[in-house]
Amino acid sequence: AQAADLRLILFDATALPAIDPQALALHDDNSLIVFNKCDACPVALPALADCGISVRTGQGLEILLNLLINNIKSRIGNAE
């Protein structure tokens, strides 16, 4: 994971406010912090979240896809 060009660091939103410190330590400029199960989250997502998703309902998946596309485009340019 340390050598990856882009990392998705995935957290379970239903575990908030607890956040795994080892996973959080992987966060840098080459990572996105994503919270899953945001449809069942009892509290607001923390400010460090790049996005919240729900695999069950599809909520936030388009936002995550756009984040990934924009990140890749910024790395390789807009070659269409």
Side-chain angles (χ1 to χ4, degrees), residues 16-35:
L16 286 170
I19 296 177
D20 179 1
Q22 289 179 317
L24 190 57
L26 295 172
H27 183 252
D28 62 16
D29 291 338
N30 294 321
S31 61
L32 296 173
I33 294 182
V34 179
F35 282 83

Side-chain angles (χ1 to χ4, degrees), residues 12-17 35-46:
D12 181 345
T14 62
L16 286 170
F35 282 83
N36 188 28
K37 300 182 185 176
C38 66
D39 59 316
C41 181
V43 297
L45 295 180

